[in-house]
Amino acid sequence: MMMNNAQSEQYLKLTQELRRGILVLAALSQLKEEKYGYALINSLAEKGLDIEQGTLYPLLRRLESQGLLKSEWNTEGSRPRRYYVISSEGLSILEELTAEWREITNVMEELLAGIASEGDLK
Amino acid sequence: MSLLNRYIHEVGRFLPRKNREDIKAELRSSVVDTLEDRFGTEPSESEVEGVLQEFGSPRDVAASYHPRSQYLVGPGLYPLFRMVAWIVIAAVLGAQLLAFFVAVFIAGEPFSVLETLSALLNSVPSSLGWVLITFMVLQYFDAKPYLEEEPWDPKTLPVLNPEADLKKGELVLGLVGGILILVLVTLFPQWIGFLSTPGGGFYPNPVILEYVVLIQISLLATIMLNIYLLWKGSWDFLTRIIKLALDGFGVVILAFLIKGHNAWLAARGASTFNAWISAIENNNWELVGMNAFRLAFVIAFIVTVIEIFSTIFRMVRSKMANDVSARDFVLKVD
């Protein structure tokens, strides 16, 4: 089924909304070792999750202000970079969020499997 | 890399002051990381352009770093802002019209369409500006217009009770009227009086001038109560008690005014009804006017006393309605 312009715009918005919720979990999961922003983007992209730079950097700062991440400038490389790593508070939140995520995916799998078997998704 | 420098500078202009330099440094390092990864250490101008396009416009990038959404007046305060703004517009327009009528018909100043229009064009935006500034400050400090306790409890929902419903039209009318009278007694107290004939002699009322402060306090308190009621949406026990107290205060002021007029008229031997009739016959406009004022205050006194009794009656009926609805509920549950 082809989508018209309005539909694809709506689809884009809904996809963004859907992805926005998982970004925190995705970022926290990859920061057990310290990384700078661009390295984190690459590591997420390698695993199949593309995230815009304009979205990631403010998100990292927000997580840091909430105490879930720690950061510091590292001047040892070719140029100064800000490295982020998960805090102990972030780790316990990550654990809880992961459990929550598994539960959600189980439920969603069940819900969506039902739709697919009824042949509603054409 | 001059394009990158320009970009970072432009983003910096829209960033919050706090952490500005830090964010700029991180942004620069991220853009350079991206460029190096894709195009090596010496990217061309168009390659830089492409990456900057990906990062987004400076305003958008900076906006994503703002801790709170950038509202002048956010969704939480907006309904209150809209209500206050409309009341202010109505009151300012009313005050302008009042000033216009006083100036043209009482003070006998020449009528000028241009001046009236320019006064309106100045006063409405400037008063709205002040309302906006006030709300911007409230927004900045994240003020909450609700007095609800946390955590929210469904049991605190207002009871459905038609007796407690407000007559909004009456309230707004009363509010605008109150503001107009307040403006009149505050800004033009010398113009409270009466005319012998249209465009004829003007006599200020000396008794009202004596009690201006009390009248202002009463009007201001009533205006505040009405605004609160409009915001709250219904009467409750406390607001009815305050209304009773204000009406009581109003009755006291009216009693003072009536007494003052009596004394003023008695001093001129004109306090009786017959004296009033003869004053009309003799064209003694000062006595006629003061008598008319006294009559108006007596009527206002009676109306306010009736209002007090009707408020008490409503309080009793509202209490009974509550009891009945509670009983119905219990019966249905049983």
PDB file of all heavy atoms in Angstrom, chain B residues 278-305:
ATOM      1  N   SER B 278     -39.263  70.774  46.906  1.00  0.00           N
ATOM      2  CA  SER B 278     -39.164  72.235  46.757  1.00  0.00           C
ATOM      3  C   SER B 278     -37.834  72.623  46.126  1.00  0.00           C
ATOM      4  O   SER B 278     -37.738  73.609  45.406  1.00  0.00           O
ATOM      5  CB  SER B 278     -39.388  72.955  48.091  1.00  0.00           C
ATOM      6  OG  SER B 278     -38.366  72.601  48.981  1.00  0.00           O
ATOM      7  N   ALA B 279     -36.801  71.796  46.379  1.00  0.00           N
ATOM      8  CA  ALA B 279     -35.503  72.074  45.738  1.00  0.00           C
ATOM      9  C   ALA B 279     -35.621  71.950  44.223  1.00  0.00           C
ATOM     10  O   ALA B 279     -35.046  72.737  43.466  1.00  0.00           O
ATOM     11  CB  ALA B 279     -34.436  71.115  46.265  1.00  0.00           C
ATOM     12  N   ILE B 280     -36.429  70.913  43.791  1.00  0.00           N
ATOM     13  CA  ILE B 280     -36.620  70.746  42.336  1.00  0.00           C
ATOM     14  C   ILE B 280     -37.360  71.961  41.785  1.00  0.00           C
ATOM     15  O   ILE B 280     -37.001  72.527  40.744  1.00  0.00           O
ATOM     16  CB  ILE B 280     -37.412  69.446  42.039  1.00  0.00           C
ATOM     17  CG1 ILE B 280     -36.594  68.219  42.489  1.00  0.00           C
ATOM     18  CG2 ILE B 280     -37.747  69.339  40.554  1.00  0.00           C
ATOM     19  CD1 ILE B 280     -37.315  66.896  42.350  1.00  0.00           C
ATOM     20  N   GLU B 281     -38.383  72.368  42.526  1.00  0.00           N
ATOM     21  CA  GLU B 281     -39.176  73.522  42.061  1.00  0.00           C
ATOM     22  C   GLU B 281     -38.323  74.774  41.956  1.00  0.00           C
ATOM     23  O   GLU B 281     -38.480  75.573  41.039  1.00  0.00           O
ATOM     24  CB  GLU B 281     -40.343  73.755  43.032  1.00  0.00           C
ATOM     25  CG  GLU B 281     -41.465  72.756  42.829  1.00  0.00           C
ATOM     26  CD  GLU B 281     -42.475  72.793  43.971  1.00  0.00           C
ATOM     27  OE1 GLU B 281     -42.256  73.540  44.947  1.00  0.00           O
ATOM     28  OE2 GLU B 281     -43.465  72.028  43.888  1.00  0.00           O
ATOM     29  N   ASN B 282     -37.376  74.884  42.920  1.00  0.00           N
ATOM     30  CA  ASN B 282     -36.540  76.112  42.937  1.00  0.00           C
ATOM     31  C   ASN B 282     -35.272  75.983  42.091  1.00  0.00           C
ATOM     32  O   ASN B 282     -34.412  76.851  42.144  1.00  0.00           O
ATOM     33  CB  ASN B 282     -36.110  76.434  44.376  1.00  0.00           C
ATOM     34  CG  ASN B 282     -37.303  76.706  45.254  1.00  0.00           C
ATOM     35  OD1 ASN B 282     -38.333  77.167  44.762  1.00  0.00           O
ATOM     36  ND2 ASN B 282     -37.189  76.382  46.528  1.00  0.00           N
ATOM     37  N   ASN B 283     -35.184  74.868  41.364  1.00  0.00           N
ATOM     38  CA  ASN B 283     -33.969  74.620  40.556  1.00  0.00           C
ATOM     39  C   ASN B 283     -32.682  74.650  41.383  1.00  0.00           C
ATOM     40  O   ASN B 283     -31.649  75.096  40.908  1.00  0.00           O
ATOM     41  CB  ASN B 283     -33.832  75.642  39.414  1.00  0.00           C
ATOM     42  CG  ASN B 283     -34.774  75.315  38.284  1.00  0.00           C
ATOM     43  OD1 ASN B 283     -35.349  74.223  38.243  1.00  0.00           O
ATOM     44  ND2 ASN B 283     -34.939  76.257  37.370  1.00  0.00           N
ATOM     45  N   ASN B 284     -32.761  74.173  42.646  1.00  0.00           N
ATOM     46  CA  ASN B 284     -31.549  74.117  43.475  1.00  0.00           C
ATOM     47  C   ASN B 284     -30.862  72.770  43.227  1.00  0.00           C
ATOM     48  O   ASN B 284     -31.064  71.779  43.918  1.00  0.00           O
ATOM     49  CB  ASN B 284     -31.924  74.272  44.957  1.00  0.00           C
ATOM     50  CG  ASN B 284     -30.684  74.462  45.811  1.00  0.00           C
ATOM     51  OD1 ASN B 284     -29.581  74.088  45.394  1.00  0.00           O
ATOM     52  ND2 ASN B 284     -30.848  75.039  46.978  1.00  0.00           N
ATOM     53  N   TRP B 285     -30.062  72.747  42.169  1.00  0.00           N
ATOM     54  CA  TRP B 285     -29.527  71.483  41.650  1.00  0.00           C
ATOM     55  C   TRP B 285     -28.606  70.764  42.639  1.00  0.00           C
ATOM     56  O   TRP B 285     -28.551  69.550  42.665  1.00  0.00           O
ATOM     57  CB  TRP B 285     -28.793  71.714  40.327  1.00  0.00           C
ATOM     58  CG  TRP B 285     -29.748  72.112  39.264  1.00  0.00           C
ATOM     59  CD1 TRP B 285     -29.865  73.327  38.686  1.00  0.00           C
ATOM     60  CD2 TRP B 285     -30.773  71.287  38.699  1.00  0.00           C
ATOM     61  NE1 TRP B 285     -30.899  73.355  37.778  1.00  0.00           N
ATOM     62  CE2 TRP B 285     -31.473  72.092  37.773  1.00  0.00           C
ATOM     63  CE3 TRP B 285     -31.203  69.980  38.892  1.00  0.00           C
ATOM     64  CZ2 TRP B 285     -32.551  71.626  37.036  1.00  0.00           C
ATOM     65  CZ3 TRP B 285     -32.267  69.506  38.147  1.00  0.00           C
ATOM     66  CH2 TRP B 285     -32.936  70.322  37.232  1.00  0.00           C
ATOM     67  N   GLU B 286     -27.929  71.535  43.439  1.00  0.00           N
ATOM     68  CA  GLU B 286     -27.009  70.900  44.382  1.00  0.00           C
ATOM     69  C   GLU B 286     -27.790  70.022  45.373  1.00  0.00           C
ATOM     70  O   GLU B 286     -27.423  68.870  45.626  1.00  0.00           O
ATOM     71  CB  GLU B 286     -26.217  71.974  45.120  1.00  0.00           C
ATOM     72  CG  GLU B 286     -24.948  71.417  45.719  1.00  0.00           C
ATOM     73  CD  GLU B 286     -24.069  72.505  46.319  1.00  0.00           C
ATOM     74  OE1 GLU B 286     -24.552  73.645  46.454  1.00  0.00           O
ATOM     75  OE2 GLU B 286     -22.907  72.200  46.633  1.00  0.00           O
ATOM     76  N   LEU B 287     -28.880  70.579  45.906  1.00  0.00           N
ATOM     77  CA  LEU B 287     -29.702  69.814  46.854  1.00  0.00           C
ATOM     78  C   LEU B 287     -30.373  68.635  46.161  1.00  0.00           C
ATOM     79  O   LEU B 287     -30.434  67.525  46.701  1.00  0.00           O
ATOM     80  CB  LEU B 287     -30.764  70.728  47.491  1.00  0.00           C
ATOM     81  CG  LEU B 287     -30.250  71.832  48.407  1.00  0.00           C
ATOM     82  CD1 LEU B 287     -31.423  72.590  49.030  1.00  0.00           C
ATOM     83  CD2 LEU B 287     -29.390  71.232  49.514  1.00  0.00           C
ATOM     84  N   VAL B 288     -30.860  68.857  44.926  1.00  0.00           N
ATOM     85  CA  VAL B 288     -31.528  67.774  44.182  1.00  0.00           C
ATOM     86  C   VAL B 288     -30.541  66.619  43.965  1.00  0.00           C
ATOM     87  O   VAL B 288     -30.856  65.453  44.219  1.00  0.00           O
ATOM     88  CB  VAL B 288     -32.028  68.297  42.805  1.00  0.00           C
ATOM     89  CG1 VAL B 288     -32.574  67.137  41.974  1.00  0.00           C
ATOM     90  CG2 VAL B 288     -33.094  69.355  42.996  1.00  0.00           C
ATOM     91  N   GLY B 289     -29.337  66.973  43.543  1.00  0.00           N
ATOM     92  CA  GLY B 289     -28.313  65.953  43.250  1.00  0.00           C
ATOM     93  C   GLY B 289     -27.944  65.159  44.483  1.00  0.00           C
ATOM     94  O   GLY B 289     -27.889  63.930  44.455  1.00  0.00           O
ATOM     95  N   MET B 290     -27.718  65.865  45.605  1.00  0.00           N
ATOM     96  CA  MET B 290     -27.309  65.164  46.834  1.00  0.00           C
ATOM     97  C   MET B 290     -28.436  64.256  47.326  1.00  0.00           C
ATOM     98  O   MET B 290     -28.200  63.167  47.835  1.00  0.00           O
ATOM     99  CB  MET B 290     -26.903  66.167  47.919  1.00  0.00           C
ATOM    100  CG  MET B 290     -25.586  66.858  47.647  1.00  0.00           C
ATOM    101  SD  MET B 290     -24.207  65.717  47.445  1.00  0.00           S
ATOM    102  CE  MET B 290     -23.785  65.392  49.150  1.00  0.00           C
ATOM    103  N   ASN B 291     -29.674  64.712  47.155  1.00  0.00           N
ATOM    104  CA  ASN B 291     -30.817  63.876  47.530  1.00  0.00           C
ATOM    105  C   ASN B 291     -30.874  62.631  46.660  1.00  0.00           C
ATOM    106  O   ASN B 291     -31.162  61.536  47.143  1.00  0.00           O
ATOM    107  CB  ASN B 291     -32.116  64.676  47.377  1.00  0.00           C
ATOM    108  CG  ASN B 291     -32.667  65.063  48.734  1.00  0.00           C
ATOM    109  OD1 ASN B 291     -32.800  64.203  49.597  1.00  0.00           O
ATOM    110  ND2 ASN B 291     -32.952  66.347  48.920  1.00  0.00           N
ATOM    111  N   ALA B 292     -30.603  62.812  45.348  1.00  0.00           N
ATOM    112  CA  ALA B 292     -30.633  61.678  44.411  1.00  0.00           C
ATOM    113  C   ALA B 292     -29.551  60.665  44.792  1.00  0.00           C
ATOM    114  O   ALA B 292     -29.786  59.458  44.796  1.00  0.00           O
ATOM    115  CB  ALA B 292     -30.425  62.173  42.989  1.00  0.00           C
ATOM    116  N   PHE B 293     -28.372  61.189  45.143  1.00  0.00           N
ATOM    117  CA  PHE B 293     -27.280  60.297  45.568  1.00  0.00           C
ATOM    118  C   PHE B 293     -27.709  59.516  46.806  1.00  0.00           C
ATOM    119  O   PHE B 293     -27.486  58.312  46.904  1.00  0.00           O
ATOM    120  CB  PHE B 293     -26.016  61.114  45.885  1.00  0.00           C
ATOM    121  CG  PHE B 293     -25.034  61.129  44.739  1.00  0.00           C
ATOM    122  CD1 PHE B 293     -24.895  62.248  43.928  1.00  0.00           C
ATOM    123  CD2 PHE B 293     -24.253  60.013  44.466  1.00  0.00           C
ATOM    124  CE1 PHE B 293     -24.012  62.262  42.875  1.00  0.00           C
ATOM    125  CE2 PHE B 293     -23.356  60.022  43.410  1.00  0.00           C
ATOM    126  CZ  PHE B 293     -23.235  61.148  42.612  1.00  0.00           C
ATOM    127  N   ARG B 294     -28.341  60.232  47.754  1.00  0.00           N
ATOM    128  CA  ARG B 294     -28.743  59.544  48.991  1.00  0.00           C
ATOM    129  C   ARG B 294     -29.738  58.434  48.665  1.00  0.00           C
ATOM    130  O   ARG B 294     -29.613  57.316  49.158  1.00  0.00           O
ATOM    131  CB  ARG B 294     -29.374  60.550  49.968  1.00  0.00           C
ATOM    132  CG  ARG B 294     -29.806  59.871  51.264  1.00  0.00           C
ATOM    133  CD  ARG B 294     -30.313  60.835  52.281  1.00  0.00           C
ATOM    134  NE  ARG B 294     -31.523  61.521  51.803  1.00  0.00           N
ATOM    135  CZ  ARG B 294     -32.280  62.299  52.566  1.00  0.00           C
ATOM    136  NH1 ARG B 294     -31.945  62.512  53.816  1.00  0.00           N
ATOM    137  NH2 ARG B 294     -33.335  62.893  52.079  1.00  0.00           N
ATOM    138  N   LEU B 295     -30.693  58.734  47.779  1.00  0.00           N
ATOM    139  CA  LEU B 295     -31.693  57.735  47.404  1.00  0.00           C
ATOM    140  C   LEU B 295     -30.997  56.510  46.785  1.00  0.00           C
ATOM    141  O   LEU B 295     -31.313  55.359  47.109  1.00  0.00           O
ATOM    142  CB  LEU B 295     -32.682  58.349  46.403  1.00  0.00           C
ATOM    143  CG  LEU B 295     -33.826  57.429  45.986  1.00  0.00           C
ATOM    144  CD1 LEU B 295     -34.722  57.120  47.190  1.00  0.00           C
ATOM    145  CD2 LEU B 295     -34.652  58.052  44.875  1.00  0.00           C
ATOM    146  N   ALA B 296     -30.003  56.784  45.864  1.00  0.00           N
ATOM    147  CA  ALA B 296     -29.284  55.685  45.202  1.00  0.00           C
ATOM    148  C   ALA B 296     -28.580  54.816  46.242  1.00  0.00           C
ATOM    149  O   ALA B 296     -28.599  53.583  46.164  1.00  0.00           O
ATOM    150  CB  ALA B 296     -28.278  56.240  44.212  1.00  0.00           C
ATOM    151  N   PHE B 297     -27.977  55.471  47.246  1.00  0.00           N
ATOM    152  CA  PHE B 297     -27.254  54.703  48.267  1.00  0.00           C
ATOM    153  C   PHE B 297     -28.210  53.901  49.137  1.00  0.00           C
ATOM    154  O   PHE B 297     -27.891  52.794  49.566  1.00  0.00           O
ATOM    155  CB  PHE B 297     -26.373  55.623  49.119  1.00  0.00           C
ATOM    156  CG  PHE B 297     -25.168  56.117  48.370  1.00  0.00           C
ATOM    157  CD1 PHE B 297     -24.818  57.454  48.349  1.00  0.00           C
ATOM    158  CD2 PHE B 297     -24.376  55.221  47.652  1.00  0.00           C
ATOM    159  CE1 PHE B 297     -23.708  57.903  47.651  1.00  0.00           C
ATOM    160  CE2 PHE B 297     -23.273  55.657  46.950  1.00  0.00           C
ATOM    161  CZ  PHE B 297     -22.937  57.003  46.938  1.00  0.00           C
ATOM    162  N   VAL B 298     -29.392  54.469  49.399  1.00  0.00           N
ATOM    163  CA  VAL B 298     -30.382  53.725  50.192  1.00  0.00           C
ATOM    164  C   VAL B 298     -30.798  52.465  49.420  1.00  0.00           C
ATOM    165  O   VAL B 298     -30.860  51.364  49.988  1.00  0.00           O
ATOM    166  CB  VAL B 298     -31.612  54.613  50.511  1.00  0.00           C
ATOM    167  CG1 VAL B 298     -32.747  53.764  51.096  1.00  0.00           C
ATOM    168  CG2 VAL B 298     -31.225  55.716  51.489  1.00  0.00           C
ATOM    169  N   ILE B 299     -31.040  52.643  48.104  1.00  0.00           N
ATOM    170  CA  ILE B 299     -31.432  51.476  47.288  1.00  0.00           C
ATOM    171  C   ILE B 299     -30.301  50.441  47.301  1.00  0.00           C
ATOM    172  O   ILE B 299     -30.531  49.241  47.507  1.00  0.00           O
ATOM    173  CB  ILE B 299     -31.759  51.915  45.839  1.00  0.00           C
ATOM    174  CG1 ILE B 299     -33.020  52.783  45.858  1.00  0.00           C
ATOM    175  CG2 ILE B 299     -31.961  50.698  44.932  1.00  0.00           C
ATOM    176  CD1 ILE B 299     -33.345  53.442  44.542  1.00  0.00           C
ATOM    177  N   ALA B 300     -29.051  50.916  47.105  1.00  0.00           N
ATOM    178  CA  ALA B 300     -27.898  49.993  47.096  1.00  0.00           C
ATOM    179  C   ALA B 300     -27.802  49.272  48.437  1.00  0.00           C
ATOM    180  O   ALA B 300     -27.499  48.073  48.495  1.00  0.00           O
ATOM    181  CB  ALA B 300     -26.618  50.753  46.816  1.00  0.00           C
ATOM    182  N   PHE B 301     -28.072  50.006  49.532  1.00  0.00           N
ATOM    183  CA  PHE B 301     -28.032  49.425  50.875  1.00  0.00           C
ATOM    184  C   PHE B 301     -29.036  48.271  50.972  1.00  0.00           C
ATOM    185  O   PHE B 301     -28.699  47.173  51.401  1.00  0.00           O
ATOM    186  CB  PHE B 301     -28.363  50.532  51.895  1.00  0.00           C
ATOM    187  CG  PHE B 301     -28.292  50.088  53.325  1.00  0.00           C
ATOM    188  CD1 PHE B 301     -27.100  50.171  54.029  1.00  0.00           C
ATOM    189  CD2 PHE B 301     -29.414  49.586  53.971  1.00  0.00           C
ATOM    190  CE1 PHE B 301     -27.024  49.761  55.352  1.00  0.00           C
ATOM    191  CE2 PHE B 301     -29.351  49.176  55.289  1.00  0.00           C
ATOM    192  CZ  PHE B 301     -28.154  49.261  55.986  1.00  0.00           C
ATOM    193  N   ILE B 302     -30.279  48.547  50.506  1.00  0.00           N
ATOM    194  CA  ILE B 302     -31.335  47.516  50.596  1.00  0.00           C
ATOM    195  C   ILE B 302     -30.943  46.306  49.736  1.00  0.00           C
ATOM    196  O   ILE B 302     -31.036  45.152  50.168  1.00  0.00           O
ATOM    197  CB  ILE B 302     -32.699  48.101  50.134  1.00  0.00           C
ATOM    198  CG1 ILE B 302     -33.123  49.211  51.113  1.00  0.00           C
ATOM    199  CG2 ILE B 302     -33.772  47.015  50.057  1.00  0.00           C
ATOM    200  CD1 ILE B 302     -34.299  50.029  50.648  1.00  0.00           C
ATOM    201  N   VAL B 303     -30.458  46.591  48.481  1.00  0.00           N
ATOM    202  CA  VAL B 303     -30.089  45.488  47.573  1.00  0.00           C
ATOM    203  C   VAL B 303     -28.986  44.633  48.201  1.00  0.00           C
ATOM    204  O   VAL B 303     -29.039  43.396  48.175  1.00  0.00           O
ATOM    205  CB  VAL B 303     -29.624  46.051  46.203  1.00  0.00           C
ATOM    206  CG1 VAL B 303     -28.991  44.961  45.353  1.00  0.00           C
ATOM    207  CG2 VAL B 303     -30.803  46.674  45.472  1.00  0.00           C
ATOM    208  N   THR B 304     -27.996  45.296  48.815  1.00  0.00           N
ATOM    209  CA  THR B 304     -26.882  44.535  49.398  1.00  0.00           C
ATOM    210  C   THR B 304     -27.355  43.694  50.583  1.00  0.00           C
ATOM    211  O   THR B 304     -26.909  42.554  50.759  1.00  0.00           O
ATOM    212  CB  THR B 304     -25.748  45.486  49.841  1.00  0.00           C
ATOM    213  OG1 THR B 304     -25.534  46.432  48.816  1.00  0.00           O
ATOM    214  CG2 THR B 304     -24.455  44.732  50.089  1.00  0.00           C
ATOM    215  N   VAL B 305     -28.266  44.252  51.384  1.00  0.00           N
ATOM    216  CA  VAL B 305     -28.786  43.467  52.516  1.00  0.00           C
ATOM    217  C   VAL B 305     -29.526  42.238  51.990  1.00  0.00           C
ATOM    218  O   VAL B 305     -29.344  41.119  52.498  1.00  0.00           O
ATOM    219  CB  VAL B 305     -29.704  44.342  53.408  1.00  0.00           C
ATOM    220  CG1 VAL B 305     -30.434  43.468  54.436  1.00  0.00           C
ATOM    221  CG2 VAL B 305     -28.881  45.406  54.128  1.00  0.00           C
TER     222      VAL B 305
END
